[in-house]
Amino acid sequence: MTDTNSQNTNTQAPQRTPLYQSHVDSNGKIVDFSGWELPIHYGSQIEEHEAVRTDAGMFDVSHMVIADVKGSDAKAWLQKLLANDVDKLKTVGKALYSPMLNEQGGIIDDLIVCLSTADETEYRIVSNAGTRDKDIAHFHKTAEGYDITITERTELAMLAVQGPNAVAKLTQVKPSWADIIAELKPFVGADLTDLEGSDWFVARTGYTGEDGVEVIMPADDAAAFFEQLKAAGIKPAGLGARDTLRMEAGMNLYGHDMDESVSPYECNMGWTLALKDERDFIGREALVSKRKQAKEDNTAMKQVGLLLTTRGVLREGMEVTINQGADNEQKGLITSGTFSPSLKYSIAIARVPASLSDDDNVQIDLRGKGKFVDVRVLKLPFVRNGKQQFD
């Protein structure tokens, strides 16, 4: 069974997170993002980006969907729902990144699921704001016949605190958290109820390629916490910096680098697929079949990074040309592109033929006038832990 307390947010007027007034008071430039009024920057996207790479910044991610799953069939349902296997979660607080596929093997969404209780009857899912309606609908549809309840936790807020000094500055504000955070490995979280009261949770996760944590808390506590972090020198950062940081880190953005028409194999998510056993998750049969067929037809695609070392900016939607004018000319597509504040060059994430080799010549027609410029093909990420990842 499932409950029905989810909200249809994307068809309503823009929503506001519990930190909306905090953003306004911090001179945030507010824009509509997936139906939410959120700051794109607080004056300088570049400064916010650099703060996260060199010091500490924080992002309001309260617009993301937090859903708690409870019941005797919780684990079984998640094993059916997700391409990755929640049986990997052996300790309370351990988290797992996974695509959620449709029957055709395309990606409905990418999400994080965390084990909440040792008896494997309670889990927490955090998924994307832009896919809220279809995610919640898919949860409930697939939960029919399972003994579970699914509760969307709209009364909670979430802040991502990221950067090489993020943990040190956070624990200046919350010294009682220091030992707990120090013991957290990547993709592990801890309940903070004993220290802060119910519904406080911290996890060593993020979307920037830097060290840091994400903190879930009651909405009523969010504004005061935000001000405490600001006072400790943690710089508020907006959607603009979040996007350049995640691109440098080679992280996908749903609706751009992946969607329901894209296979996990085509967007560098093959590592998230748990295929070694016979578990029958949604989309498995089509995923495996299409993968095999694409290899036989030589139509398989893969994801790469592109670096432009001349003037210009690589942008989403630009065509990638491989061996332009040759008999073996092929095409790809830029799925995300931007100027990298860390590298001082334009970078892109692109989907290209899987047969692409180091010997191939890769070019972009930047202005659509037939004047092609060379781009360098790189393995993602571009930047990790503040350091360039290529020679």
Side-chain angles (χ1 to χ4, degrees), residues 25-314:
D25 293 344
S26 299
N27 298 315
K29 177 177 173 54
I30 306 299
V31 298
D32 185 335
F33 178 79
S34 296
W36 292 84
E37 291 186 303
L38 290 167
I40 192 164
H41 61 70
Y42 299 84
S44 173
Q45 175 180 329
I46 298 295
E47 289 180 8
E48 294 157 28
H49 177 108
E50 291 177 346
V52 175
R53 282 282 178 253
T54 63
D55 187 16
M58 60 178 168
F59 305 87
D60 178 11
V61 288
S62 305
H63 58 299
M64 297 186 73
V65 183
I66 302 172
D68 286 343
V69 183
K70 299 182 180 180
S72 61
D73 291 339
K75 180 179 180 180
W77 173 67
L78 287 167
Q79 286 184 304
K80 180 71 173 181
L81 182 76
L82 303 179
N84 211 337
D85 188 359
V86 295
D87 190 49
K88 296 176 182 178
L89 303 179
K90 301 298 186 183
T91 57
V92 172
K94 187 76 175 79
L96 184 78
Y97 176 66
S98 178
M100 177 170 68
L101 306 180
N102 58 26
E103 293 287 359
Q104 293 75 43
I107 303 171
I108 295 174
D109 198 10
D110 63 323
L111 51 81
I112 292 175
V113 59
C114 179
L115 177 64
S116 301
T117 59
D119 64 1
E120 301 179 325
T121 61
E122 297 184 24
Y123 295 82
R124 171 165 286 176
I125 298 172
V126 179
S127 55
N128 289 305
T131 52
R132 174 182 241 102
D133 291 349
K134 70 173 183 176
D135 283 3
I136 295 296
H138 189 68
F139 291 166
H140 290 297
K141 179 182 177 181
T142 56
E144 292 177 5
Y146 288 88
D147 178 24
I148 59 172
T149 59
I150 303 168
T151 306
E152 190 181 349
R153 301 297 303 277
T154 55
E155 77 281 14
L156 300 178
M158 184 160 60
L159 267 173
V161 187
Q162 302 280 293
N165 298 328
V167 169
K169 290 191 171 184
L170 172 61
T171 52
Q172 289 175 14
V173 174
K174 297 289 186 180
S176 62
W177 296 12
D179 290 344
I180 291 174
I181 294 178
E183 294 177 1
L184 289 180
K185 295 179 180 179
F187 260 67
V188 178
D191 193 308
L192 297 170
T193 298
D194 291 343
L195 300 176
E196 301 292 340
S198 63
D199 290 326
W200 279 81
F201 184 85
V202 61
R204 204 132 199 174
T205 51
Y207 192 53
T208 63
E210 296 294 334
D211 190 18
V213 298
E214 292 176 307
V215 183
I216 294 173
M217 73 214 78
D220 291 344
D221 296 333
F225 185 53
F226 183 91
E227 291 304 317
Q228 288 179 305
L229 297 179
K230 260 179 69 177
I234 299 174
K235 190 175 183 65
L239 295 167
R242 185 169 162 84
D243 192 53
T244 52
L245 287 160
R246 70 91 190 170
M247 275 202 59
E248 288 183 354
M251 295 177 176
N252 289 329
L253 178 62
Y254 192 85
H256 298 259
D257 307 297
M258 55 183 170
D259 56 34
E260 292 200 46
S261 69
V262 176
S263 159
Y265 290 113
E266 298 174 326
C267 59
N268 201 27
M269 289 178 64
W271 63 274
T272 67
L273 305 174
L275 296 167
K276 291 183 179 179
D277 58 23
E278 298 303 314
R279 183 175 56 94
D280 182 26
F281 59 84
I282 295 169
R284 175 174 181 147
E285 184 177 346
L287 182 75
V288 173
S289 175
K290 288 182 178 179
R291 173 74 165 173
K292 181 181 178 182
Q293 190 65 50
K295 285 184 174 181
E296 292 176 354
D297 297 343
N298 198 29
T299 58
M301 305 291 282
K302 66 180 179 181
Q303 186 182 75
V304 298
L306 301 179
L307 178 72
L308 177 66
T309 56
T310 56
R311 293 181 62 183
V313 179
L314 301 174

Side-chain angles (χ1 to χ4, degrees), residues 336-356:
S336 287
T338 193
F339 178 80
S340 164
S342 300
L343 303 175
K344 312 304 181 189
Y345 292 121
S346 185
I347 60 173
I349 296 173
R351 192 157 50 247
V352 299
S355 58
L356 178 70

